[in-house]
Coordinates of all heavy atoms in Angstrom, one line a residue:
M1222 N 25.2 35.9 17.4 CA 26.6 35.5 17.5 C 26.9 34.9 18.8 O 26.5 35.4 19.8 CB 27.4 36.8 17.3 CG 28.8 36.5 17.4 SD 30.1 36.9 16.1 CE 29.6 37.4 14.6
E1223 N 27.7 33.8 18.8 CA 28.0 33.1 20.1 C 29.2 33.8 20.6 O 29.9 34.5 20.0 CB 28.3 31.6 19.7 CG 27.2 30.9 19.0 CD 26.0 30.7 19.9 OE1 26.2 30.6 21.1 OE2 24.8 30.6 19.4
S1224 N 29.5 33.4 21.9 CA 30.6 34.0 22.6 C 32.0 33.6 22.0 O 32.9 34.2 22.2 CB 30.6 33.6 24.1 OG 30.6 32.2 24.2
N1225 N 32.0 32.4 21.3 CA 33.2 32.0 20.7 C 33.4 32.5 19.2 O 34.3 32.2 18.5 CB 33.3 30.5 20.7 CG 32.2 29.8 19.8 OD1 31.4 30.5 19.2 ND2 32.3 28.6 19.8
G1226 N 32.4 33.4 18.8 CA 32.6 34.0 17.5 C 31.8 33.3 16.4 O 31.6 33.7 15.3
A1227 N 31.2 32.1 16.7 CA 30.4 31.4 15.7 C 29.0 32.0 15.6 O 28.5 32.7 16.5 CB 30.3 29.9 16.2
L1228 N 28.5 31.8 14.4 CA 27.2 32.4 14.1 C 26.1 31.2 14.1 O 26.4 30.2 13.4 CB 27.2 33.0 12.7 CG 26.0 33.7 12.2 CD1 25.6 34.8 13.1 CD2 26.1 34.1 10.8
S1229 N 25.1 31.4 14.9 CA 24.0 30.4 15.0 C 22.8 30.9 14.3 O 22.4 32.1 14.4 CB 23.7 30.1 16.4 OG 24.7 29.5 17.1
V1230 N 22.2 30.1 13.5 CA 21.0 30.5 12.7 C 19.9 29.5 13.1 O 20.0 28.3 13.1 CB 21.2 30.4 11.2 CG1 20.0 30.9 10.5 CG2 22.4 31.3 10.9
M1231 N 18.6 30.1 13.5 CA 17.6 29.3 13.8 C 16.5 29.5 12.7 O 16.2 30.7 12.3 CB 17.1 29.5 15.2 CG 18.0 29.1 16.3 SD 17.5 29.5 17.9 CE 16.1 28.4 18.0
K1232 N 15.8 28.4 12.3 CA 14.7 28.6 11.4 C 13.5 29.1 12.1 O 13.2 28.9 13.3 CB 14.3 27.3 10.8 CG 15.3 26.7 9.8 CD 14.8 25.4 9.2 CE 15.8 24.7 8.3 NZ 15.4 23.5 7.8
K1233 N 12.6 29.9 11.4 CA 11.3 30.3 11.9 C 10.5 29.1 12.0 O 10.6 28.2 11.2 CB 10.6 31.3 11.0 CG 11.3 32.7 11.0 CD 10.6 33.6 10.0 CE 11.3 35.0 10.0 NZ 10.5 35.9 9.1
P1234 N 9.6 29.1 13.0 CA 8.8 27.9 13.2 C 8.0 27.4 11.9 O 7.9 26.1 11.6 CB 7.8 28.2 14.3 CG 8.4 29.3 15.0 CD 9.3 30.1 14.0
E1235 N 7.6 28.3 11.1 CA 6.8 27.9 9.9 C 7.7 27.2 8.8 O 7.2 26.6 7.9 CB 6.1 29.0 9.3 CG 6.9 30.2 8.8 CD 7.1 31.3 9.9 OE1 6.9 31.1 11.1 OE2 7.4 32.4 9.5
Y1236 N 9.0 27.3 9.1 CA 10.0 26.7 8.1 C 10.7 25.5 8.7 O 11.5 24.9 8.0 CB 11.0 27.7 7.6 CG 10.4 28.8 6.8 CD1 10.3 30.1 7.4 CD2 9.9 28.7 5.5 CE1 9.6 31.1 6.8 CE2 9.2 29.6 4.8 CZ 9.1 30.9 5.5 OH 8.5 31.9 4.7
E1237 N 10.3 25.1 9.9 CA 10.9 23.9 10.5 C 10.4 22.6 9.8 O 9.3 22.6 9.3 CB 10.5 23.8 11.9 CG 11.2 24.7 12.9 CD 12.7 24.3 13.1 OE1 13.0 23.1 13.1 OE2 13.5 25.3 13.3
S1238 N 11.2 21.6 9.8 CA 10.8 20.3 9.2 C 9.7 19.6 10.1 O 9.8 19.7 11.3 CB 12.0 19.3 9.2 OG 13.0 19.9 8.3
V1239 N 8.8 19.0 9.4 CA 7.7 18.3 10.2 C 8.2 17.0 10.6 O 8.9 16.2 10.0 CB 6.5 18.1 9.2 CG1 5.4 17.3 9.9 CG2 6.0 19.4 8.7
K1240 N 7.8 16.6 11.9 CA 8.3 15.4 12.5 C 7.0 14.5 12.6 O 5.9 15.0 12.6 CB 8.7 15.6 13.9 CG 9.8 16.7 14.1 CD 11.1 16.2 13.6 CE 12.3 17.1 13.9 NZ 12.5 18.2 13.1
V1241 N 7.2 13.2 12.6 CA 6.1 12.2 12.7 C 5.2 12.5 13.9 O 4.0 12.5 13.8 CB 6.7 10.8 12.8 CG1 5.6 9.8 13.1 CG2 7.4 10.4 11.5
K1242 N 5.8 12.8 15.0 CA 5.0 13.1 16.2 C 4.2 14.4 16.1 O 3.1 14.5 16.6 CB 5.8 13.2 17.5 CG 6.7 14.4 17.6 CD 7.5 14.4 18.9 CE 8.3 15.7 19.0 NZ 8.9 15.9 20.3
D1243 N 4.7 15.4 15.2 CA 3.8 16.5 15.0 C 2.4 16.2 14.3 O 1.6 16.9 14.5 CB 4.6 17.6 14.1 CG 5.9 18.0 14.8 OD1 5.9 18.1 16.1 OD2 6.8 18.5 14.0
L1244 N 2.5 15.2 13.5 CA 1.3 14.8 12.8 C 0.5 13.7 13.5 O -0.5 13.2 13.0 CB 1.7 14.3 11.4 CG 2.4 15.3 10.6 CD1 2.9 14.7 9.3 CD2 1.6 16.5 10.2
N1245 N 0.9 13.3 14.7 CA 0.2 12.3 15.4 C 0.2 10.9 14.6 O -0.9 10.3 14.6 CB -1.2 12.7 15.9 CG -1.0 13.8 16.9 OD1 -0.2 13.8 17.8 ND2 -2.0 14.8 16.8
L1246 N 1.2 10.6 14.0 CA 1.3 9.3 13.1 C 2.0 8.3 13.9 O 2.7 8.5 14.8 CB 2.0 9.6 11.8 CG 1.3 10.6 10.9 CD1 2.2 10.8 9.7 CD2 -0.1 10.1 10.4
N1247 N 1.7 7.0 13.5 CA 2.4 5.9 14.1 C 3.8 5.9 13.6 O 4.1 5.9 12.4 CB 1.7 4.6 13.6 CG 2.3 3.4 14.0 OD1 3.4 3.4 14.8 ND2 1.8 2.2 13.8
P1248 N 4.8 6.0 14.5 CA 6.2 6.1 14.1 C 6.7 4.8 13.4 O 7.7 4.8 12.7 CB 6.9 6.2 15.4 CG 6.0 5.8 16.4 CD 4.6 6.0 16.0
N1249 N 6.0 3.7 13.5 CA 6.4 2.5 12.8 C 6.1 2.5 11.4 O 6.5 1.7 10.6 CB 5.8 1.2 13.5 CG 6.2 1.1 14.9 OD1 7.4 1.4 15.2 ND2 5.4 0.5 15.7
G1250 N 5.2 3.4 11.0 CA 4.8 3.6 9.5 C 3.9 2.6 9.1 O 3.4 1.7 9.8
A1251 N 3.5 2.7 7.8 CA 2.5 1.8 7.2 C 3.1 0.5 6.9 O 4.3 0.4 6.6 CB 1.9 2.4 5.9
P1252 N 2.3 -0.6 6.9 CA 3.0 -1.9 6.6 C 3.3 -1.9 5.1 O 2.7 -1.3 4.3 CB 1.8 -2.8 6.9 CG 0.6 -2.1 6.8 CD 1.0 -0.6 7.3
L1253 N 4.4 -2.6 4.8 CA 4.8 -2.9 3.4 C 3.8 -3.6 2.7 O 3.3 -4.6 3.2 CB 6.1 -3.5 3.4 CG 7.3 -2.8 4.0 CD1 8.6 -3.7 4.0 CD2 7.5 -1.4 3.3
T1254 N 3.5 -3.3 1.5 CA 2.5 -4.0 0.7 C 3.1 -4.4 -0.7 O 4.1 -3.8 -1.1 CB 1.3 -3.1 0.4 OG1 1.6 -2.0 -0.3 CG2 0.6 -2.7 1.7
I1255 N 2.5 -5.4 -1.3 CA 2.9 -5.9 -2.6 C 1.7 -5.8 -3.5 O 0.6 -6.3 -3.1 CB 3.4 -7.4 -2.5 CG1 4.4 -7.6 -1.5 CG2 3.8 -7.9 -3.9 CD1 4.6 -9.0 -1.1
T1256 N 1.9 -5.2 -4.6 CA 0.8 -5.1 -5.5 C 0.6 -6.5 -6.1 O 1.7 -6.9 -6.8 CB 1.0 -4.0 -6.6 OG1 1.1 -2.8 -6.0 CG2 -0.1 -4.0 -7.6
V1257 N -0.4 -7.2 -6.1 CA -0.6 -8.5 -6.6 C -1.6 -8.6 -7.8 O -1.6 -9.6 -8.5 CB -1.0 -9.5 -5.5 CG1 0.2 -9.6 -4.5 CG2 -2.3 -9.1 -4.8
I1258 N -2.6 -7.6 -7.9 CA -3.5 -7.7 -8.9 C -3.7 -6.2 -9.5 O -3.8 -5.3 -8.7 CB -4.9 -8.1 -8.4 CG1 -4.8 -9.5 -7.7 CG2 -5.9 -8.1 -9.6 CD1 -6.0 -9.9 -7.0
E1259 N -3.6 -6.1 -10.8 CA -3.8 -4.9 -11.5 C -4.7 -5.1 -12.8 O -4.4 -6.0 -13.6 CB -2.5 -4.2 -12.0 CG -1.8 -3.4 -11.0 CD -0.7 -2.6 -11.5 OE1 -0.1 -3.0 -12.5 OE2 -0.3 -1.6 -10.9
N1260 N -5.8 -4.4 -12.8 CA -6.7 -4.5 -13.9 C -7.1 -6.0 -14.3 O -7.1 -6.4 -15.4 CB -6.1 -3.8 -15.2 CG -5.9 -2.3 -15.0 OD1 -6.8 -1.7 -14.4 ND2 -4.8 -1.8 -15.4
G1261 N -7.4 -6.7 -13.2 CA -7.9 -8.0 -13.4 C -6.8 -9.1 -13.6 O -7.1 -10.2 -13.9
V1262 N -5.5 -8.6 -13.6 CA -4.4 -9.6 -13.9 C -3.6 -9.8 -12.7 O -3.2 -8.9 -12.0 CB -3.5 -8.9 -15.0 CG1 -2.2 -9.7 -15.3 CG2 -4.3 -8.6 -16.3
F1263 N -3.4 -11.1 -12.5 CA -2.6 -11.5 -11.3 C -1.1 -11.2 -11.7 O -0.6 -11.7 -12.7 CB -2.7 -13.0 -11.0 CG -2.1 -13.5 -9.8 CD1 -2.6 -13.1 -8.5 CD2 -0.9 -14.2 -9.9 CE1 -1.9 -13.6 -7.4 CE2 -0.2 -14.5 -8.8 CZ -0.7 -14.3 -7.6
L1264 N -0.3 -10.6 -10.8 CA 1.1 -10.3 -11.0 C 2.0 -11.2 -10.3 O 2.5 -11.0 -9.2 CB 1.4 -8.9 -10.5 CG 0.5 -7.8 -11.1 CD1 0.8 -6.4 -10.4 CD2 0.6 -7.7 -12.6
Q1265 N 2.2 -12.4 -11.0 CA 3.1 -13.5 -10.4 C 4.5 -13.1 -10.1 O 5.0 -13.4 -9.0 CB 3.2 -14.6 -11.4 CG 3.8 -15.9 -10.9 CD 3.1 -16.6 -9.8 OE1 1.8 -16.7 -9.9 NE2 3.7 -16.9 -8.7
E1266 N 5.1 -12.2 -10.9 CA 6.4 -11.7 -10.6 C 6.5 -11.0 -9.3 O 7.6 -11.0 -8.7 CB 6.9 -10.8 -11.7 CG 7.2 -11.5 -13.1 CD 8.4 -12.4 -12.9 OE1 9.5 -12.0 -12.4 OE2 8.3 -13.6 -13.4
A1267 N 5.5 -10.4 -8.8 CA 5.5 -9.6 -7.6 C 5.8 -10.5 -6.4 O 6.2 -10.1 -5.4 CB 4.2 -8.7 -7.5
L1268 N 5.4 -11.8 -6.5 CA 5.5 -12.7 -5.4 C 6.7 -13.4 -5.4 O 6.9 -14.3 -4.5 CB 4.3 -13.6 -5.4 CG 2.9 -12.9 -5.3 CD1 1.8 -13.9 -5.4 CD2 2.8 -12.1 -4.0
K1269 N 7.7 -13.2 -6.3 CA 8.9 -14.0 -6.3 C 9.7 -13.8 -5.0 O 9.9 -12.6 -4.6 CB 9.8 -13.5 -7.5 CG 9.6 -14.3 -8.7 CD 10.7 -14.0 -9.6 CE 10.6 -15.0 -10.8 NZ 11.6 -14.7 -11.8
G1270 N 9.9 -14.9 -4.3 CA 10.7 -14.8 -3.1 C 9.9 -14.4 -1.9 O 10.4 -14.2 -0.8
K1271 N 8.6 -14.3 -2.0 CA 7.7 -13.9 -1.0 C 7.0 -15.2 -0.4 O 6.8 -16.2 -1.1 CB 6.6 -13.0 -1.4 CG 7.1 -11.8 -2.1 CD 7.9 -10.8 -1.2 CE 8.2 -9.5 -1.8 NZ 9.1 -9.6 -2.9
P1272 N 6.6 -15.3 0.9 CA 6.0 -16.4 1.5 C 4.5 -16.6 1.2 O 3.7 -16.9 2.0 CB 6.3 -16.2 3.0 CG 6.3 -14.7 3.1 CD 6.9 -14.2 1.9
V1273 N 4.1 -16.2 0.0 CA 2.7 -16.2 -0.4 C 2.6 -16.6 -1.9 O 3.5 -16.3 -2.6 CB 2.0 -14.8 -0.1 CG1 2.5 -13.7 -1.0 CG2 0.5 -14.9 -0.3
D1274 N 1.6 -17.2 -2.3 CA 1.4 -17.6 -3.6 C 0.0 -17.3 -4.2 O -0.8 -16.8 -3.4 CB 1.8 -19.1 -3.9 CG 0.9 -20.1 -3.1 OD1 -0.2 -19.6 -2.6 OD2 1.2 -21.2 -3.0
R1275 N -0.2 -17.6 -5.5 CA -1.5 -17.3 -6.1 C -2.6 -17.9 -5.3 O -3.7 -17.3 -5.2 CB -1.4 -17.8 -7.5 CG -2.7 -17.4 -8.3 CD -2.7 -18.0 -9.7 NE -3.9 -17.6 -10.4 CZ -4.1 -16.8 -11.4 NH1 -3.0 -16.2 -11.8 NH2 -5.2 -16.5 -11.9
Q1276 N -2.5 -19.2 -4.9 CA -3.6 -19.9 -4.2 C -4.0 -19.2 -3.0 O -5.2 -19.0 -2.7 CB -3.1 -21.3 -3.9 CG -4.1 -22.1 -3.3 CD -3.6 -23.6 -3.0 OE1 -2.5 -24.0 -3.4 NE2 -4.4 -24.4 -2.3
I1277 N -3.0 -18.7 -2.2 CA -3.4 -17.9 -1.0 C -4.1 -16.6 -1.3 O -5.1 -16.2 -0.7 CB -2.1 -17.6 -0.2 CG1 -1.6 -18.9 0.4 CG2 -2.4 -16.6 1.0 CD1 -0.1 -18.8 1.0
I1278 N -3.6 -15.9 -2.3 CA -4.3 -14.7 -2.7 C -5.7 -14.9 -3.2 O -6.6 -14.2 -2.9 CB -3.5 -13.9 -3.9 CG1 -2.1 -13.6 -3.4 CG2 -4.2 -12.8 -4.5 CD1 -2.0 -12.6 -2.3
M1279 N -5.9 -15.9 -4.0 CA -7.2 -16.4 -4.5 C -8.2 -16.7 -3.4 O -9.4 -16.3 -3.3 CB -7.1 -17.5 -5.5 CG -6.5 -17.1 -6.8 SD -7.3 -15.6 -7.6 CE -9.0 -16.3 -7.9
E1280 N -7.7 -17.4 -2.4 CA -8.5 -17.8 -1.2 C -8.9 -16.5 -0.5 O -10.1 -16.3 0.0 CB -7.7 -18.7 -0.3 CG -8.5 -19.2 0.9 CD -7.7 -20.1 1.8 OE1 -6.8 -20.8 1.2 OE2 -7.9 -20.1 3.0
L1281 N -8.0 -15.5 -0.2 CA -8.3 -14.3 0.5 C -9.3 -13.5 -0.3 O -10.2 -12.9 0.2 CB -7.0 -13.5 0.7 CG -6.0 -14.1 1.7 CD1 -4.7 -13.4 1.7 CD2 -6.6 -14.1 3.1
A1282 N -9.2 -13.5 -1.7 CA -10.1 -12.8 -2.6 C -11.5 -13.4 -2.5 O -12.5 -12.7 -2.4 CB -9.6 -12.7 -4.0
R1283 N -11.6 -14.8 -2.5 CA -12.8 -15.5 -2.4 C -13.5 -15.1 -1.1 O -14.8 -15.0 -1.0 CB -12.6 -17.0 -2.5 CG -12.6 -17.4 -4.0 CD -12.6 -18.9 -4.2 NE -11.7 -19.3 -5.2 CZ -10.5 -19.7 -5.1 NH1 -10.0 -19.9 -3.9 NH2 -9.8 -19.9 -6.1
N1284 N -12.7 -15.0 0.0 CA -13.3 -14.7 1.3 C -14.0 -13.3 1.3 O -14.8 -12.9 2.2 CB -12.2 -14.7 2.4 CG -11.8 -16.1 2.7 OD1 -12.4 -17.1 2.3 ND2 -10.6 -16.2 3.3
Q1285 N -13.5 -12.5 0.3 CA -14.2 -11.1 0.2 C -15.2 -11.1 -0.9 O -15.7 -10.1 -1.4 CB -13.1 -10.1 -0.1 CG -12.1 -9.9 1.0 CD -11.0 -8.9 0.7 OE1 -11.3 -7.8 0.1 NE2 -9.9 -9.1 1.2
G1286 N -15.6 -12.3 -1.4 CA -16.8 -12.4 -2.3 C -16.3 -12.3 -3.8 O -17.2 -12.1 -4.6
V1287 N -15.1 -12.4 -4.1 CA -14.6 -12.3 -5.4 C -14.6 -13.6 -6.1 O -14.1 -14.6 -5.6 CB -13.1 -11.7 -5.5 CG1 -12.5 -11.8 -6.9 CG2 -13.0 -10.3 -4.9
E1288 N -15.3 -13.7 -7.3 CA -15.4 -14.9 -8.1 C -14.3 -15.0 -9.1 O -13.8 -16.1 -9.4 CB -16.8 -15.1 -8.7 CG -17.9 -15.1 -7.7 CD -17.9 -16.4 -6.9 OE1 -17.5 -17.4 -7.4 OE2 -18.2 -16.3 -5.7
D1289 N -14.0 -13.9 -9.7 CA -13.0 -13.8 -10.7 C -12.1 -12.6 -10.6 O -12.5 -11.6 -10.3 CB -13.8 -13.7 -12.1 CG -13.0 -13.9 -13.3 OD1 -11.7 -13.8 -13.3 OD2 -13.6 -14.2 -14.4
L1290 N -10.8 -12.7 -11.0 CA -9.9 -11.6 -10.9 C -10.4 -10.4 -11.7 O -10.0 -9.3 -11.5 CB -8.5 -12.1 -11.2 CG -7.8 -13.0 -10.2 CD1 -6.4 -13.3 -10.7 CD2 -7.7 -12.3 -8.8
K1291 N -11.0 -10.8 -12.8 CA -11.5 -9.6 -13.7 C -12.4 -8.6 -13.0 O -12.7 -7.6 -13.6 CB -12.2 -10.3 -14.9 CG -11.2 -11.0 -15.8 CD -11.8 -11.6 -17.0 CE -10.8 -12.2 -17.8 NZ -11.1 -13.4 -18.4
E1292 N -12.8 -9.0 -11.7 CA -13.7 -8.1 -10.9 C -12.8 -7.0 -10.2 O -13.3 -6.1 -9.7 CB -14.5 -8.8 -9.9 CG -15.5 -9.9 -10.5 CD -16.1 -10.7 -9.3 OE1 -16.2 -10.1 -8.2 OE2 -16.3 -11.8 -9.6
I1293 N -11.5 -7.2 -10.2 CA -10.6 -6.4 -9.4 C -9.8 -5.4 -10.3 O -9.2 -5.8 -11.3 CB -9.6 -7.3 -8.6 CG1 -10.3 -8.4 -7.9 CG2 -8.7 -6.5 -7.8 CD1 -11.3 -7.9 -6.9
A1294 N -9.8 -4.1 -9.9 CA -9.1 -3.1 -10.5 C -7.7 -3.1 -9.9 O -6.6 -3.0 -10.6 CB -9.6 -1.8 -10.3
Y1295 N -7.5 -3.3 -8.5 CA -6.2 -3.3 -7.9 C -6.3 -4.1 -6.6 O -7.3 -4.0 -5.9 CB -5.9 -1.8 -7.5 CG -4.6 -1.6 -6.8 CD1 -3.4 -1.6 -7.5 CD2 -4.6 -1.4 -5.5 CE1 -2.2 -1.5 -6.8 CE2 -3.4 -1.2 -4.8 CZ -2.3 -1.2 -5.5 OH -1.1 -1.0 -4.8
G1296 N -5.2 -4.9 -6.4 CA -5.2 -5.6 -5.1 C -3.8 -5.6 -4.6 O -2.8 -5.7 -5.3
E1297 N -3.7 -5.4 -3.2 CA -2.4 -5.4 -2.6 C -2.4 -6.3 -1.4 O -3.4 -6.4 -0.7 CB -1.9 -4.0 -2.3 CG -2.7 -3.3 -1.3 CD -2.2 -1.8 -1.0 OE1 -1.4 -1.3 -1.8 OE2 -2.6 -1.3 0.0
Y1298 N -1.3 -6.9 -1.1 CA -1.1 -7.9 0.0 C -0.1 -7.3 0.9 O 0.9 -6.9 0.4 CB -0.7 -9.3 -0.6 CG -0.5 -10.3 0.5 CD1 -1.6 -11.0 1.0 CD2 0.8 -10.5 0.9 CE1 -1.4 -12.0 2.0 CE2 0.9 -11.6 1.9 CZ -0.1 -12.3 2.4 OH 0.1 -13.2 3.4
D1299 N -0.4 -7.2 2.2 CA 0.6 -6.6 3.2 C 1.2 -7.8 4.0 O 0.8 -8.9 3.9 CB 0.0 -5.6 4.0 CG -1.0 -6.1 5.1 OD1 -0.9 -7.2 5.5 OD2 -1.8 -5.3 5.5
V1300 N 2.3 -7.4 4.6 CA 3.2 -8.3 5.4 C 2.3 -9.0 6.6 O 2.7 -10.0 7.1 CB 4.5 -7.7 5.9 CG1 5.3 -7.4 4.7 CG2 4.2 -6.5 6.8
G1301 N 1.2 -8.4 6.9 CA 0.4 -8.9 8.0 C -0.6 -10.0 7.5 O -1.3 -10.5 8.3
G1302 N -0.6 -10.3 6.2 CA -1.4 -11.2 5.6 C -2.9 -10.7 5.2 O -3.7 -11.5 4.9
E1303 N -3.0 -9.4 5.0 CA -4.3 -8.9 4.7 C -4.2 -8.5 3.1 O -3.2 -8.0 2.7 CB -4.5 -7.6 5.5 CG -5.9 -7.0 5.2 CD -6.2 -5.7 6.0 OE1 -5.5 -5.6 7.1 OE2 -7.1 -5.0 5.6
L1304 N -5.3 -8.8 2.5 CA -5.5 -8.5 1.1 C -6.5 -7.3 1.0 O -7.6 -7.5 1.4 CB -5.9 -9.7 0.2 CG -6.2 -9.5 -1.3 CD1 -4.8 -9.2 -1.9 CD2 -6.8 -10.7 -1.8
R1305 N -6.1 -6.2 0.4 CA -6.9 -5.1 0.1 C -7.2 -5.0 -1.4 O -6.3 -5.1 -2.2 CB -6.2 -3.8 0.6 CG -6.0 -3.7 2.0 CD -5.3 -2.4 2.4 NE -4.9 -2.4 3.7 CZ -3.7 -2.8 4.2 NH1 -2.8 -3.2 3.3 NH2 -3.4 -2.7 5.5
L1306 N -8.5 -4.9 -1.6 CA -9.0 -4.9 -3.0 C -9.8 -3.7 -3.4 O -10.5 -3.1 -2.6 CB -9.9 -6.1 -3.3 CG -9.3 -7.5 -3.0 CD1 -10.3 -8.6 -3.2 CD2 -8.1 -7.8 -4.0
I1307 N -9.6 -3.2 -4.6 CA -10.5 -2.2 -5.2 C -11.1 -2.8 -6.4 O -10.5 -3.4 -7.3 CB -9.7 -1.0 -5.6 CG1 -9.0 -0.3 -4.5 CG2 -10.5 0.0 -6.3 CD1 -8.1 0.8 -4.8
R1308 N -12.5 -2.9 -6.4 CA -13.2 -3.6 -7.4 C -13.5 -2.7 -8.5 O -13.7 -1.5 -8.3 CB -14.5 -4.2 -6.9 CG -14.3 -5.3 -5.9 CD -15.7 -5.7 -5.3 NE -15.5 -6.6 -4.2 CZ -15.8 -7.9 -4.3 NH1 -16.5 -8.4 -5.2 NH2 -15.6 -8.7 -3.2
L1309 N -13.6 -3.3 -9.7 CA -14.0 -2.5 -10.9 C -15.6 -2.4 -10.8 O -16.3 -3.3 -10.2 CB -13.7 -3.4 -12.2 CG -12.2 -3.4 -12.6 CD1 -12.0 -4.4 -13.7 CD2 -11.8 -2.0 -13.1
T1310 N -16.0 -1.3 -11.3 CA -17.5 -1.1 -11.4 C -18.1 -2.1 -12.4 O -17.4 -2.5 -13.3 CB -17.9 0.3 -11.7 OG1 -17.3 0.6 -13.0 CG2 -17.4 1.3 -10.7
P1311 N -19.3 -2.5 -12.2 CA -19.8 -3.5 -13.2 C -19.7 -3.0 -14.6 O -19.5 -3.9 -15.6 CB -21.4 -3.6 -12.8 CG -21.4 -3.3 -11.4 CD -20.3 -2.2 -11.2
Q1312 N -19.8 -1.8 -15.0 CA -19.6 -1.2 -16.3 C -18.2 -1.4 -16.9 O -18.0 -1.4 -18.0 CB -20.1 0.3 -16.4 CG -21.5 0.6 -16.0 CD -21.6 0.8 -14.5 OE1 -20.6 0.7 -13.8 NE2 -22.8 1.0 -14.1
K1313 N -17.3 -1.4 -16.0 CA -15.8 -1.4 -16.4 C -15.2 -2.8 -16.2 O -14.0 -3.0 -16.5 CB -15.0 -0.4 -15.6 CG -15.4 1.0 -15.8 CD -14.5 1.9 -15.1 CE -14.9 3.4 -15.4 NZ -14.0 4.3 -14.7
R1314 N -15.9 -3.8 -15.9 CA -15.4 -5.1 -15.7 C -14.8 -5.6 -17.1 O -15.3 -5.5 -18.1 CB -16.4 -6.1 -15.2 CG -16.8 -5.9 -13.8 CD -17.2 -7.1 -13.0 NE -17.3 -6.7 -11.6 CZ -18.4 -7.0 -10.9 NH1 -19.3 -7.7 -11.5 NH2 -18.4 -6.6 -9.7
L1315 N -13.7 -6.3 -16.9 CA -13.0 -6.9 -18.1 C -13.7 -8.1 -18.5 O -14.2 -8.9 -17.8 CB -11.5 -7.3 -17.8 CG -10.8 -6.0 -17.2 CD1 -9.4 -6.6 -16.7 CD2 -10.5 -5.0 -18.2
R1316 N -13.8 -8.3 -19.8 CA -14.5 -9.5 -20.4 C -13.5 -10.5 -20.9 O -12.5 -10.3 -21.3 CB -15.5 -9.0 -21.4 CG -16.5 -8.1 -20.8 CD -17.6 -7.8 -21.8 NE -18.3 -6.6 -21.5 CZ -19.1 -6.5 -20.5 NH1 -19.4 -7.5 -19.7 NH2 -19.8 -5.4 -20.2

């Protein structure tokens, strides 16, 4: 109880909210990404209004040794210009 009659309540430390600095994370967060390939299919709609097109995505994929989109399970493009790919295993490739 405060001197003015107000009641103050403090949480126990184990119930406090976690802060970014508590986890030693970058406060700027992860870069925004756009899903551009799913199950071997290029997602043209995802790029509407973005400064990137299919040609750029295909060039970045080729730089990573991809010959055909059917080799890709998932691909995302980030605002820094990086393309991250998860390839399908040879047994699961789309025909």
Side-chain angles (χ1 to χ4, degrees):
M1222 175 126 349
E1223 303 293 331
S1224 60
N1225 65 1
L1228 180 63
S1229 295
V1230 179
M1231 295 179 64
K1232 291 182 182 179
K1233 291 181 179 181
E1235 61 267 23
Y1236 297 107
E1237 284 288 330
S1238 299
V1239 177
K1240 309 281 189 286
V1241 172
K1242 70 177 187 171
D1243 296 337
L1244 300 174
N1245 294 321
L1246 296 176
N1247 179 357
N1249 296 331
L1253 297 177
T1254 61
I1255 305 164
T1256 301
V1257 293
I1258 303 167
E1259 273 188 337
N1260 296 320
V1262 177
F1263 184 79
L1264 305 175
Q1265 185 67 43
E1266 287 292 314
L1268 297 179
K1269 267 191 171 174
K1271 308 292 187 297
V1273 65
D1274 61 13
R1275 183 184 178 110
Q1276 184 177 351
I1277 293 170
I1278 298 298
M1279 289 304 299
E1280 182 178 327
L1281 292 170
R1283 278 190 218 98
N1284 290 343
Q1285 295 183 38
V1287 173
E1288 297 295 323
D1289 189 342
L1290 289 181
K1291 292 180 177 141
E1292 300 174 31
I1293 306 300
Y1295 178 81
E1297 65 182 18
Y1298 181 80
D1299 71 28
V1300 293
E1303 184 177 344
L1304 180 66
R1305 293 182 189 87
L1306 300 174
I1307 298 174
R1308 294 176 187 247
L1309 288 167
T1310 59
Q1312 300 85 358
K1313 293 186 179 180
R1314 287 210 177 130
L1315 304 173
R1316 298 188 198 288

